[in-house]
Amino acid sequence: MKNSRKILSAVLIAAAAICLIAAIALTAQRFTDTMQTRNTMDELRTSTEPLPPESSSEPEESPSPSPVPESTPEPVETPTPTPSPVVNPYLDSFLANDDMAAWLQIPGTDIDYPVMWTPRDEEYYLRRGFDGARNQNGCLILDTDSCLDPLTTNLIIHGHNMRSGTMFGTLEDYEDEAYCQEHNRIILYTEDCQRNYEVVAVFRSQVYKKSDTVFKFYKFFQADTQEEFDDFYENIKALSLYDTGVTTEFGDCFITLTTCSNHVEQGRFVVVAKEVESGDTYLPLEEEVE
């Protein structure tokens, strides 16, 4: 009887254990199913959310920037090449006489002569020709107080007023304004270069006494100050027979041509021109003869 009870108790205990295990297994299965269901729902929610728009293969156009005005490049000045020295056109004359300072030419006139410079004796060529022989025409003479090297502000050239028209025999033709306009260019060929001039003033004057306190054109050679320059310029413009239309400023250089005139005792007829652009530069005489 006791054994039967033991067996029945064991059976009941086993059955209870089996039921407990089955309940635990059922609970675990339910938990697993619940988790799978949640996962499935999450996946469905995710699949139903709108997808972000596909990006276009073409890049989005950015707004066009405001056009930047092109800056105009400043013109670059091309430096003017320095002309090469050339052979002096009066080479033979310079070599023939060391006293020759330059050659004076006024295009379209008969004035086309050498200019002599003899500081030791200004009047040496007064009645001598270029060759040194006696000649009543003399030569054109550069005043001894004028200088080409270093260049003085004013170069004064004297010449006889010959009746034959030689030397400065035609200089008084500049009394006519129309003649001056046609022959306003004066050229001086020096050893170093060609110097070009334009007529500034034409006037009559005279050689005054030393005691006379008047403007003496033949005493002006150098202007180191504005005042000295203005004194010369204002006086020659005031004396001029007409307005040539040519103006000057401090720093300009001049050439003054003067000859005798019979309007007064010791009268002088004067043409003053200012230097403008230079012409050719010349090779040194020593190089030219090699």
Side-chain angles (χ1 to χ4, degrees), residues 177-224:
E177 183 176 357
Y179 179 89
C180 178
Q181 291 176 350
E182 293 175 4
H183 306 89
N184 70 330
R185 185 178 175 222
I186 299 173
I187 307 174
L188 191 69
Y189 299 91
T190 70
E191 285 189 18
D192 301 324
C193 65
Q194 173 186 330
R195 297 185 178 277
N196 301 316
Y197 299 85
E198 282 184 336
V199 177
V200 175
V202 176
F203 57 91
R204 294 186 182 276
S205 186
Q206 66 185 90
V207 177
Y208 294 95
K209 297 178 181 179
K210 290 183 179 181
S211 58
D212 291 339
T213 55
V214 294
F215 171 67
K216 300 173 182 178
F217 74 91
Y218 48 86
K219 292 294 185 181
F220 175 74
F221 298 97
Q222 185 65 32
D224 293 321

mmCIF file of all heavy atoms in Angstrom, residues 177-224:
data_model
loop_
_atom_site.group_PDB
_atom_site.id
_atom_site.type_symbol
_atom_site.label_atom_id
_atom_site.label_comp_id
_atom_site.label_asym_id
_atom_site.label_seq_id
_atom_site.Cartn_x
_atom_site.Cartn_y
_atom_site.Cartn_z
ATOM 1 N N GLU A 177 56.567 139.122 -91.491
ATOM 2 C CA GLU A 177 56.020 138.032 -90.678
ATOM 3 C C GLU A 177 55.773 136.768 -91.511
ATOM 4 O O GLU A 177 56.025 135.649 -91.052
ATOM 5 C CB GLU A 177 54.718 138.474 -90.008
ATOM 6 C CG GLU A 177 54.113 137.423 -89.093
ATOM 7 C CD GLU A 177 52.872 137.922 -88.373
ATOM 8 O OE1 GLU A 177 52.514 139.105 -88.548
ATOM 9 O OE2 GLU A 177 52.253 137.119 -87.637
ATOM 10 N N ALA A 178 55.283 136.955 -92.739
ATOM 11 C CA ALA A 178 55.015 135.795 -93.591
ATOM 12 C C ALA A 178 56.315 135.052 -93.916
ATOM 13 O O ALA A 178 56.346 133.814 -93.950
ATOM 14 C CB ALA A 178 54.321 136.235 -94.879
ATOM 15 N N TYR A 179 57.378 135.814 -94.136
ATOM 16 C CA TYR A 179 58.679 135.199 -94.403
ATOM 17 C C TYR A 179 59.127 134.384 -93.193
ATOM 18 O O TYR A 179 59.648 133.268 -93.333
ATOM 19 C CB TYR A 179 59.704 136.278 -94.735
ATOM 20 C CG TYR A 179 61.089 135.739 -95.012
ATOM 21 C CD1 TYR A 179 61.462 135.370 -96.309
ATOM 22 C CD2 TYR A 179 62.035 135.600 -93.988
ATOM 23 C CE1 TYR A 179 62.730 134.863 -96.576
ATOM 24 C CE2 TYR A 179 63.303 135.102 -94.246
ATOM 25 C CZ TYR A 179 63.644 134.746 -95.542
ATOM 26 O OH TYR A 179 64.906 134.235 -95.788
ATOM 27 N N CYS A 180 58.927 134.929 -92.017
ATOM 28 C CA CYS A 180 59.308 134.223 -90.789
ATOM 29 C C CYS A 180 58.539 132.910 -90.641
ATOM 30 O O CYS A 180 59.116 131.878 -90.274
ATOM 31 C CB CYS A 180 59.069 135.111 -89.577
ATOM 32 S SG CYS A 180 59.460 134.318 -87.993
ATOM 33 N N GLN A 181 57.250 132.943 -90.945
ATOM 34 C CA GLN A 181 56.450 131.728 -90.823
ATOM 35 C C GLN A 181 56.932 130.648 -91.784
ATOM 36 O O GLN A 181 56.878 129.449 -91.472
ATOM 37 C CB GLN A 181 54.974 132.049 -91.089
ATOM 38 C CG GLN A 181 54.330 132.904 -89.997
ATOM 39 C CD GLN A 181 52.901 133.291 -90.321
ATOM 40 O OE1 GLN A 181 52.428 133.093 -91.445
ATOM 41 N NE2 GLN A 181 52.204 133.849 -89.344
ATOM 42 N N GLU A 182 57.439 131.069 -92.939
ATOM 43 C CA GLU A 182 57.929 130.105 -93.923
ATOM 44 C C GLU A 182 59.345 129.609 -93.601
ATOM 45 O O GLU A 182 59.755 128.556 -94.096
ATOM 46 C CB GLU A 182 57.924 130.735 -95.322
ATOM 47 C CG GLU A 182 56.525 131.040 -95.847
ATOM 48 C CD GLU A 182 56.553 131.769 -97.175
ATOM 49 O OE1 GLU A 182 57.678 131.969 -97.708
ATOM 50 O OE2 GLU A 182 55.485 132.134 -97.682
ATOM 51 N N HIS A 183 60.073 130.384 -92.792
ATOM 52 C CA HIS A 183 61.466 130.027 -92.489
ATOM 53 C C HIS A 183 61.722 130.098 -90.979
ATOM 54 O O HIS A 183 62.710 130.670 -90.530
ATOM 55 C CB HIS A 183 62.424 130.973 -93.227
ATOM 56 C CG HIS A 183 62.188 131.057 -94.703
ATOM 57 N ND1 HIS A 183 61.318 131.972 -95.255
ATOM 58 C CD2 HIS A 183 62.705 130.329 -95.733
ATOM 59 C CE1 HIS A 183 61.311 131.815 -96.577
ATOM 60 N NE2 HIS A 183 62.130 130.824 -96.890
ATOM 61 N N ASN A 184 60.812 129.539 -90.216
ATOM 62 C CA ASN A 184 60.925 129.650 -88.747
ATOM 63 C C ASN A 184 61.823 128.580 -88.140
ATOM 64 O O ASN A 184 62.028 128.541 -86.926
ATOM 65 C CB ASN A 184 59.539 129.575 -88.098
ATOM 66 C CG ASN A 184 58.930 128.180 -88.202
ATOM 67 O OD1 ASN A 184 59.211 127.449 -89.149
ATOM 68 N ND2 ASN A 184 58.090 127.833 -87.254
ATOM 69 N N ARG A 185 62.387 127.720 -88.970
ATOM 70 C CA ARG A 185 63.243 126.644 -88.467
ATOM 71 C C ARG A 185 64.708 126.969 -88.725
ATOM 72 O O ARG A 185 65.093 127.323 -89.841
ATOM 73 C CB ARG A 185 62.878 125.320 -89.141
ATOM 74 C CG ARG A 185 63.633 124.114 -88.593
ATOM 75 C CD ARG A 185 63.166 122.846 -89.277
ATOM 76 N NE ARG A 185 63.951 121.687 -88.859
ATOM 77 C CZ ARG A 185 64.384 120.736 -89.665
ATOM 78 N NH1 ARG A 185 64.133 120.802 -90.957
ATOM 79 N NH2 ARG A 185 65.070 119.713 -89.200
ATOM 80 N N ILE A 186 65.501 126.845 -87.668
ATOM 81 C CA ILE A 186 66.943 127.090 -87.751
ATOM 82 C C ILE A 186 67.659 125.841 -87.241
ATOM 83 O O ILE A 186 67.256 125.263 -86.229
ATOM 84 C CB ILE A 186 67.346 128.318 -86.917
ATOM 85 C CG1 ILE A 186 66.637 129.581 -87.440
ATOM 86 C CG2 ILE A 186 68.858 128.523 -86.921
ATOM 87 C CD1 ILE A 186 66.847 130.820 -86.570
ATOM 88 N N ILE A 187 68.709 125.428 -87.925
ATOM 89 C CA ILE A 187 69.435 124.206 -87.555
ATOM 90 C C ILE A 187 70.895 124.535 -87.280
ATOM 91 O O ILE A 187 71.539 125.264 -88.050
ATOM 92 C CB ILE A 187 69.354 123.147 -88.672
ATOM 93 C CG1 ILE A 187 67.902 122.881 -89.066
ATOM 94 C CG2 ILE A 187 70.013 121.848 -88.212
ATOM 95 C CD1 ILE A 187 67.760 121.955 -90.262
ATOM 96 N N LEU A 188 71.390 123.985 -86.200
ATOM 97 C CA LEU A 188 72.804 124.134 -85.841
ATOM 98 C C LEU A 188 73.410 122.738 -85.723
ATOM 99 O O LEU A 188 72.988 121.941 -84.880
ATOM 100 C CB LEU A 188 72.956 124.895 -84.524
ATOM 101 C CG LEU A 188 74.384 125.334 -84.173
ATOM 102 C CD1 LEU A 188 74.861 126.427 -85.130
ATOM 103 C CD2 LEU A 188 74.460 125.822 -82.733
ATOM 104 N N TYR A 189 74.393 122.456 -86.578
ATOM 105 C CA TYR A 189 75.085 121.170 -86.542
ATOM 106 C C TYR A 189 76.379 121.337 -85.749
ATOM 107 O O TYR A 189 77.297 122.035 -86.180
ATOM 108 C CB TYR A 189 75.409 120.696 -87.963
ATOM 109 C CG TYR A 189 74.193 120.483 -88.832
ATOM 110 C CD1 TYR A 189 73.695 121.510 -89.633
ATOM 111 C CD2 TYR A 189 73.549 119.250 -88.868
ATOM 112 C CE1 TYR A 189 72.587 121.318 -90.444
ATOM 113 C CE2 TYR A 189 72.431 119.050 -89.667
ATOM 114 C CZ TYR A 189 71.958 120.082 -90.456
ATOM 115 O OH TYR A 189 70.859 119.889 -91.259
ATOM 116 N N THR A 190 76.423 120.719 -84.575
ATOM 117 C CA THR A 190 77.621 120.785 -83.747
ATOM 118 C C THR A 190 78.422 119.498 -83.916
ATOM 119 O O THR A 190 78.024 118.594 -84.660
ATOM 120 C CB THR A 190 77.257 120.978 -82.266
ATOM 121 O OG1 THR A 190 76.659 119.772 -81.772
ATOM 122 C CG2 THR A 190 76.275 122.131 -82.097
ATOM 123 N N GLU A 191 79.527 119.403 -83.199
ATOM 124 C CA GLU A 191 80.306 118.170 -83.265
ATOM 125 C C GLU A 191 79.508 116.983 -82.733
ATOM 126 O O GLU A 191 79.655 115.861 -83.210
ATOM 127 C CB GLU A 191 81.601 118.300 -82.444
ATOM 128 C CG GLU A 191 82.677 119.144 -83.101
ATOM 129 C CD GLU A 191 83.994 119.038 -82.345
ATOM 130 O OE1 GLU A 191 84.146 118.063 -81.553
ATOM 131 O OE2 GLU A 191 84.861 119.890 -82.536
ATOM 132 N N ASP A 192 78.665 117.245 -81.736
ATOM 133 C CA ASP A 192 77.972 116.164 -81.039
ATOM 134 C C ASP A 192 76.614 115.805 -81.612
ATOM 135 O O ASP A 192 76.220 114.642 -81.594
ATOM 136 C CB ASP A 192 77.794 116.517 -79.560
ATOM 137 C CG ASP A 192 79.121 116.764 -78.869
ATOM 138 O OD1 ASP A 192 80.093 116.075 -79.200
ATOM 139 O OD2 ASP A 192 79.171 117.662 -78.000
ATOM 140 N N CYS A 193 75.877 116.812 -82.084
ATOM 141 C CA CYS A 193 74.498 116.535 -82.486
ATOM 142 C C CYS A 193 73.937 117.659 -83.349
ATOM 143 O O CYS A 193 74.559 118.707 -83.528
ATOM 144 C CB CYS A 193 73.614 116.360 -81.246
ATOM 145 S SG CYS A 193 73.471 117.870 -80.248
ATOM 146 N N GLN A 194 72.741 117.398 -83.847
ATOM 147 C CA GLN A 194 71.976 118.407 -84.587
ATOM 148 C C GLN A 194 71.008 119.073 -83.624
ATOM 149 O O GLN A 194 70.218 118.412 -82.960
ATOM 150 C CB GLN A 194 71.210 117.751 -85.726
ATOM 151 C CG GLN A 194 70.243 118.685 -86.448
ATOM 152 C CD GLN A 194 69.401 117.958 -87.482
ATOM 153 O OE1 GLN A 194 69.826 116.973 -88.069
ATOM 154 N NE2 GLN A 194 68.187 118.442 -87.699
ATOM 155 N N ARG A 195 71.052 120.405 -83.542
ATOM 156 C CA ARG A 195 70.151 121.163 -82.668
ATOM 157 C C ARG A 195 69.164 121.939 -83.535
ATOM 158 O O ARG A 195 69.560 122.660 -84.457
ATOM 159 C CB ARG A 195 70.937 122.113 -81.762
ATOM 160 C CG ARG A 195 71.879 121.382 -80.799
ATOM 161 C CD ARG A 195 72.562 122.344 -79.832
ATOM 162 N NE ARG A 195 73.419 121.640 -78.894
ATOM 163 C CZ ARG A 195 72.996 121.059 -77.770
ATOM 164 N NH1 ARG A 195 71.725 121.111 -77.450
ATOM 165 N NH2 ARG A 195 73.846 120.431 -76.975
ATOM 166 N N ASN A 196 67.893 121.787 -83.225
ATOM 167 C CA ASN A 196 66.828 122.431 -83.992
ATOM 168 C C ASN A 196 66.186 123.555 -83.189
ATOM 169 O O ASN A 196 65.989 123.425 -81.974
ATOM 170 C CB ASN A 196 65.764 121.401 -84.373
ATOM 171 C CG ASN A 196 66.346 120.261 -85.193
ATOM 172 O OD1 ASN A 196 67.130 120.489 -86.113
ATOM 173 N ND2 ASN A 196 65.966 119.038 -84.870
ATOM 174 N N TYR A 197 65.818 124.630 -83.873
ATOM 175 C CA TYR A 197 65.273 125.815 -83.201
ATOM 176 C C TYR A 197 64.053 126.333 -83.954
ATOM 177 O O TYR A 197 63.907 126.133 -85.170
ATOM 178 C CB TYR A 197 66.325 126.932 -83.140
ATOM 179 C CG TYR A 197 67.580 126.579 -82.378
ATOM 180 C CD1 TYR A 197 68.626 125.902 -83.001
ATOM 181 C CD2 TYR A 197 67.745 126.918 -81.035
ATOM 182 C CE1 TYR A 197 69.792 125.575 -82.310
ATOM 183 C CE2 TYR A 197 68.898 126.601 -80.339
ATOM 184 C CZ TYR A 197 69.916 125.926 -80.985
ATOM 185 O OH TYR A 197 71.071 125.594 -80.285
ATOM 186 N N GLU A 198 63.183 127.029 -83.197
ATOM 187 C CA GLU A 198 62.036 127.734 -83.767
ATOM 188 C C GLU A 198 62.108 129.197 -83.358
ATOM 189 O O GLU A 198 62.433 129.509 -82.204
ATOM 190 C CB GLU A 198 60.716 127.138 -83.265
ATOM 191 C CG GLU A 198 60.318 125.851 -83.948
ATOM 192 C CD GLU A 198 58.948 125.368 -83.481
ATOM 193 O OE1 GLU A 198 58.536 125.743 -82.364
ATOM 194 O OE2 GLU A 198 58.298 124.633 -84.240
ATOM 195 N N VAL A 199 61.780 130.079 -84.291
ATOM 196 C CA VAL A 199 61.897 131.516 -84.042
ATOM 197 C C VAL A 199 60.881 131.965 -82.990
ATOM 198 O O VAL A 199 59.683 131.668 -83.080
ATOM 199 C CB VAL A 199 61.700 132.311 -85.343
ATOM 200 C CG1 VAL A 199 61.744 133.815 -85.066
ATOM 201 C CG2 VAL A 199 62.783 131.928 -86.358
ATOM 202 N N VAL A 200 61.390 132.709 -81.999
ATOM 203 C CA VAL A 200 60.555 133.220 -80.904
ATOM 204 C C VAL A 200 60.259 134.708 -81.087
ATOM 205 O O VAL A 200 59.133 135.160 -80.876
ATOM 206 C CB VAL A 200 61.256 133.000 -79.544
ATOM 207 C CG1 VAL A 200 60.466 133.645 -78.410
ATOM 208 C CG2 VAL A 200 61.468 131.528 -79.276
ATOM 209 N N ALA A 201 61.278 135.462 -81.474
ATOM 210 C CA ALA A 201 61.116 136.918 -81.559
ATOM 211 C C ALA A 201 62.032 137.484 -82.639
ATOM 212 O O ALA A 201 63.118 136.950 -82.899
ATOM 213 C CB ALA A 201 61.428 137.571 -80.212
ATOM 214 N N VAL A 202 61.575 138.559 -83.248
ATOM 215 C CA VAL A 202 62.342 139.285 -84.265
ATOM 216 C C VAL A 202 62.254 140.768 -83.913
ATOM 217 O O VAL A 202 61.156 141.311 -83.761
ATOM 218 C CB VAL A 202 61.765 139.037 -85.675
ATOM 219 C CG1 VAL A 202 62.508 139.886 -86.710
ATOM 220 C CG2 VAL A 202 61.820 137.558 -86.037
ATOM 221 N N PHE A 203 63.376 141.433 -83.772
ATOM 222 C CA PHE A 203 63.321 142.839 -83.362
ATOM 223 C C PHE A 203 64.576 143.598 -83.803
ATOM 224 O O PHE A 203 65.576 143.006 -84.217
ATOM 225 C CB PHE A 203 63.146 142.953 -81.851
ATOM 226 C CG PHE A 203 64.213 142.267 -81.030
ATOM 227 C CD1 PHE A 203 65.364 142.941 -80.619
ATOM 228 C CD2 PHE A 203 64.058 140.940 -80.640
ATOM 229 C CE1 PHE A 203 66.329 142.310 -79.853
ATOM 230 C CE2 PHE A 203 65.022 140.306 -79.867
ATOM 231 C CZ PHE A 203 66.156 140.987 -79.468
ATOM 232 N N ARG A 204 64.458 144.922 -83.680
ATOM 233 C CA ARG A 204 65.597 145.806 -83.928
ATOM 234 C C ARG A 204 66.098 146.347 -82.591
ATOM 235 O O ARG A 204 65.329 146.635 -81.692
ATOM 236 C CB ARG A 204 65.206 146.964 -84.840
ATOM 237 C CG ARG A 204 64.829 146.504 -86.252
ATOM 238 C CD ARG A 204 64.596 147.680 -87.188
ATOM 239 N NE ARG A 204 64.188 147.225 -88.519
ATOM 240 C CZ ARG A 204 65.020 146.849 -89.472
ATOM 241 N NH1 ARG A 204 66.335 146.891 -89.229
ATOM 242 N NH2 ARG A 204 64.585 146.450 -90.636
ATOM 243 N N SER A 205 67.400 146.462 -82.484
ATOM 244 C CA SER A 205 67.996 146.982 -81.268
ATOM 245 C C SER A 205 69.267 147.725 -81.642
ATOM 246 O O SER A 205 69.420 148.160 -82.791
ATOM 247 C CB SER A 205 68.287 145.830 -80.290
ATOM 248 O OG SER A 205 68.748 146.334 -79.053
ATOM 249 N N GLN A 206 70.172 147.868 -80.704
ATOM 250 C CA GLN A 206 71.437 148.533 -80.968
ATOM 251 C C GLN A 206 72.443 148.183 -79.883
ATOM 252 O O GLN A 206 72.085 147.585 -78.863
ATOM 253 C CB GLN A 206 71.243 150.055 -81.022
ATOM 254 C CG GLN A 206 70.846 150.675 -79.699
ATOM 255 C CD GLN A 206 70.548 152.153 -79.814
ATOM 256 O OE1 GLN A 206 69.406 152.524 -80.065
ATOM 257 N NE2 GLN A 206 71.568 152.980 -79.643
ATOM 258 N N VAL A 207 73.682 148.540 -80.151
ATOM 259 C CA VAL A 207 74.724 148.384 -79.136
ATOM 260 C C VAL A 207 74.740 149.669 -78.319
ATOM 261 O O VAL A 207 74.981 150.756 -78.842
ATOM 262 C CB VAL A 207 76.098 148.142 -79.778
ATOM 263 C CG1 VAL A 207 77.175 148.047 -78.702
ATOM 264 C CG2 VAL A 207 76.062 146.872 -80.625
ATOM 265 N N TYR A 208 74.451 149.549 -77.034
ATOM 266 C CA TYR A 208 74.324 150.716 -76.158
ATOM 267 C C TYR A 208 75.650 151.026 -75.462
ATOM 268 O O TYR A 208 76.581 150.207 -75.435
ATOM 269 C CB TYR A 208 73.247 150.465 -75.106
ATOM 270 C CG TYR A 208 71.850 150.328 -75.676
ATOM 271 C CD1 TYR A 208 71.319 149.063 -75.957
ATOM 272 C CD2 TYR A 208 71.070 151.444 -75.922
ATOM 273 C CE1 TYR A 208 70.032 148.932 -76.466
ATOM 274 C CE2 TYR A 208 69.791 151.328 -76.438
ATOM 275 C CZ TYR A 208 69.278 150.071 -76.708
ATOM 276 O OH TYR A 208 68.000 149.957 -77.226
ATOM 277 N N LYS A 209 75.665 152.206 -74.876
ATOM 278 C CA LYS A 209 76.811 152.561 -74.045
ATOM 279 C C LYS A 209 76.775 151.730 -72.768
ATOM 280 O O LYS A 209 75.724 151.292 -72.322
ATOM 281 C CB LYS A 209 76.750 154.060 -73.693
ATOM 282 C CG LYS A 209 76.853 154.983 -74.887
ATOM 283 C CD LYS A 209 76.729 156.436 -74.445
ATOM 284 C CE LYS A 209 76.800 157.372 -75.641
ATOM 285 N NZ LYS A 209 76.654 158.800 -75.227
ATOM 286 N N LYS A 210 77.926 151.547 -72.191
ATOM 287 C CA LYS A 210 78.001 150.760 -70.966
ATOM 288 C C LYS A 210 77.148 151.360 -69.858
ATOM 289 O O LYS A 210 76.600 150.647 -69.016
ATOM 290 C CB LYS A 210 79.443 150.643 -70.503
ATOM 291 C CG LYS A 210 80.310 149.767 -71.397
ATOM 292 C CD LYS A 210 81.715 149.638 -70.833
ATOM 293 C CE LYS A 210 82.586 148.741 -71.708
ATOM 294 N NZ LYS A 210 83.960 148.585 -71.157
ATOM 295 N N SER A 211 77.036 152.692 -69.872
ATOM 296 C CA SER A 211 76.296 153.370 -68.801
ATOM 297 C C SER A 211 74.782 153.326 -69.007
ATOM 298 O O SER A 211 74.021 153.674 -68.090
ATOM 299 C CB SER A 211 76.752 154.830 -68.685
ATOM 300 O OG SER A 211 76.562 155.506 -69.926
ATOM 301 N N ASP A 212 74.316 152.933 -70.197
ATOM 302 C CA ASP A 212 72.877 152.896 -70.474
ATOM 303 C C ASP A 212 72.218 151.745 -69.708
ATOM 304 O O ASP A 212 72.628 150.587 -69.838
ATOM 305 C CB ASP A 212 72.618 152.720 -71.964
ATOM 306 C CG ASP A 212 73.005 153.961 -72.766
ATOM 307 O OD1 ASP A 212 73.087 155.049 -72.165
ATOM 308 O OD2 ASP A 212 73.232 153.829 -73.987
ATOM 309 N N THR A 213 71.220 152.097 -68.902
ATOM 310 C CA THR A 213 70.511 151.077 -68.121
ATOM 311 C C THR A 213 69.280 150.605 -68.895
ATOM 312 O O THR A 213 68.136 150.926 -68.561
ATOM 313 C CB THR A 213 70.098 151.633 -66.750
ATOM 314 O OG1 THR A 213 69.320 152.824 -66.950
ATOM 315 C CG2 THR A 213 71.317 151.934 -65.894
ATOM 316 N N VAL A 214 69.530 149.883 -69.957
ATOM 317 C CA VAL A 214 68.466 149.352 -70.813
ATOM 318 C C VAL A 214 68.726 147.863 -71.040
ATOM 319 O O VAL A 214 69.780 147.335 -70.670
ATOM 320 C CB VAL A 214 68.433 150.094 -72.168
ATOM 321 C CG1 VAL A 214 68.040 151.553 -71.980
ATOM 322 C CG2 VAL A 214 69.781 149.974 -72.876
ATOM 323 N N PHE A 215 67.758 147.214 -71.644
ATOM 324 C CA PHE A 215 67.925 145.795 -71.970
ATOM 325 C C PHE A 215 68.941 145.653 -73.099
ATOM 326 O O PHE A 215 68.787 146.227 -74.171
ATOM 327 C CB PHE A 215 66.592 145.182 -72.385
ATOM 328 C CG PHE A 215 66.710 143.787 -72.932
ATOM 329 C CD1 PHE A 215 67.109 142.729 -72.112
ATOM 330 C CD2 PHE A 215 66.423 143.526 -74.265
ATOM 331 C CE1 PHE A 215 67.226 141.440 -72.611
ATOM 332 C CE2 PHE A 215 66.527 142.243 -74.770
ATOM 333 C CZ PHE A 215 66.928 141.196 -73.948
ATOM 334 N N LYS A 216 69.959 144.875 -72.851
ATOM 335 C CA LYS A 216 71.011 144.635 -73.840
ATOM 336 C C LYS A 216 71.015 143.148 -74.179
ATOM 337 O O LYS A 216 71.527 142.320 -73.426
ATOM 338 C CB LYS A 216 72.369 145.058 -73.281
ATOM 339 C CG LYS A 216 72.412 146.541 -72.901
ATOM 340 C CD LYS A 216 73.714 146.909 -72.201
ATOM 341 C CE LYS A 216 73.704 148.393 -71.797
ATOM 342 N NZ LYS A 216 74.925 148.806 -71.063
ATOM 343 N N PHE A 217 70.403 142.813 -75.304
ATOM 344 C CA PHE A 217 70.243 141.414 -75.686
ATOM 345 C C PHE A 217 71.582 140.699 -75.804
ATOM 346 O O PHE A 217 71.684 139.487 -75.559
ATOM 347 C CB PHE A 217 69.480 141.318 -77.022
ATOM 348 C CG PHE A 217 70.306 141.699 -78.223
ATOM 349 C CD1 PHE A 217 71.038 140.735 -78.915
ATOM 350 C CD2 PHE A 217 70.373 143.018 -78.669
ATOM 351 C CE1 PHE A 217 71.805 141.070 -80.016
ATOM 352 C CE2 PHE A 217 71.137 143.361 -79.760
ATOM 353 C CZ PHE A 217 71.860 142.392 -80.439
ATOM 354 N N TYR A 218 72.620 141.432 -76.188
ATOM 355 C CA TYR A 218 73.931 140.845 -76.447
ATOM 356 C C TYR A 218 74.707 140.556 -75.157
ATOM 357 O O TYR A 218 75.838 140.060 -75.224
ATOM 358 C CB TYR A 218 74.744 141.771 -77.353
ATOM 359 C CG TYR A 218 74.748 143.218 -76.919
ATOM 360 C CD1 TYR A 218 75.665 143.699 -75.996
ATOM 361 C CD2 TYR A 218 73.796 144.106 -77.439
ATOM 362 C CE1 TYR A 218 75.646 145.028 -75.588
ATOM 363 C CE2 TYR A 218 73.774 145.431 -77.032
ATOM 364 C CZ TYR A 218 74.701 145.886 -76.106
ATOM 365 O OH TYR A 218 74.685 147.214 -75.696
ATOM 366 N N LYS A 219 74.089 140.827 -74.020
ATOM 367 C CA LYS A 219 74.724 140.522 -72.740
ATOM 368 C C LYS A 219 74.104 139.297 -72.057
ATOM 369 O O LYS A 219 74.527 138.914 -70.972
ATOM 370 C CB LYS A 219 74.602 141.729 -71.798
ATOM 371 C CG LYS A 219 75.413 142.940 -72.227
ATOM 372 C CD LYS A 219 76.909 142.652 -72.155
ATOM 373 C CE LYS A 219 77.733 143.896 -72.467
ATOM 374 N NZ LYS A 219 79.200 143.618 -72.420
ATOM 375 N N PHE A 220 73.123 138.703 -72.714
ATOM 376 C CA PHE A 220 72.462 137.555 -72.100
ATOM 377 C C PHE A 220 73.039 136.255 -72.649
ATOM 378 O O PHE A 220 72.931 135.955 -73.841
ATOM 379 C CB PHE A 220 70.952 137.585 -72.364
ATOM 380 C CG PHE A 220 70.232 136.360 -71.857
ATOM 381 C CD1 PHE A 220 70.018 136.177 -70.501
ATOM 382 C CD2 PHE A 220 69.790 135.380 -72.740
ATOM 383 C CE1 PHE A 220 69.365 135.040 -70.034
ATOM 384 C CE2 PHE A 220 69.136 134.250 -72.282
ATOM 385 C CZ PHE A 220 68.932 134.077 -70.919
ATOM 386 N N PHE A 221 73.650 135.474 -71.755
ATOM 387 C CA PHE A 221 74.224 134.186 -72.139
ATOM 388 C C PHE A 221 73.728 133.025 -71.270
ATOM 389 O O PHE A 221 73.636 131.911 -71.743
ATOM 390 C CB PHE A 221 75.758 134.250 -72.058
ATOM 391 C CG PHE A 221 76.359 135.259 -72.985
ATOM 392 C CD1 PHE A 221 76.707 136.527 -72.533
ATOM 393 C CD2 PHE A 221 76.557 134.962 -74.320
ATOM 394 C CE1 PHE A 221 77.246 137.475 -73.388
ATOM 395 C CE2 PHE A 221 77.092 135.892 -75.190
ATOM 396 C CZ PHE A 221 77.442 137.163 -74.721
ATOM 397 N N GLN A 222 73.440 133.329 -70.002
ATOM 398 C CA GLN A 222 73.096 132.252 -69.081
ATOM 399 C C GLN A 222 71.989 132.692 -68.133
ATOM 400 O O GLN A 222 72.044 133.795 -67.584
ATOM 401 C CB GLN A 222 74.331 131.832 -68.266
ATOM 402 C CG GLN A 222 74.125 130.647 -67.354
ATOM 403 C CD GLN A 222 73.835 129.351 -68.116
ATOM 404 O OE1 GLN A 222 74.333 129.146 -69.234
ATOM 405 N NE2 GLN A 222 73.023 128.498 -67.540
ATOM 406 N N ALA A 223 70.985 131.823 -67.962
ATOM 407 C CA ALA A 223 69.903 132.078 -67.006
ATOM 408 C C ALA A 223 69.951 130.980 -65.956
ATOM 409 O O ALA A 223 69.509 129.854 -66.190
ATOM 410 C CB ALA A 223 68.555 132.095 -67.708
ATOM 411 N N ASP A 224 70.477 131.327 -64.792
ATOM 412 C CA ASP A 224 70.543 130.364 -63.695
ATOM 413 C C ASP A 224 69.336 130.446 -62.777
ATOM 414 O O ASP A 224 69.134 129.574 -61.930
ATOM 415 C CB ASP A 224 71.819 130.585 -62.873
ATOM 416 C CG ASP A 224 73.077 130.263 -63.667
ATOM 417 O OD1 ASP A 224 73.052 129.273 -64.428
ATOM 418 O OD2 ASP A 224 74.066 131.006 -63.541
#
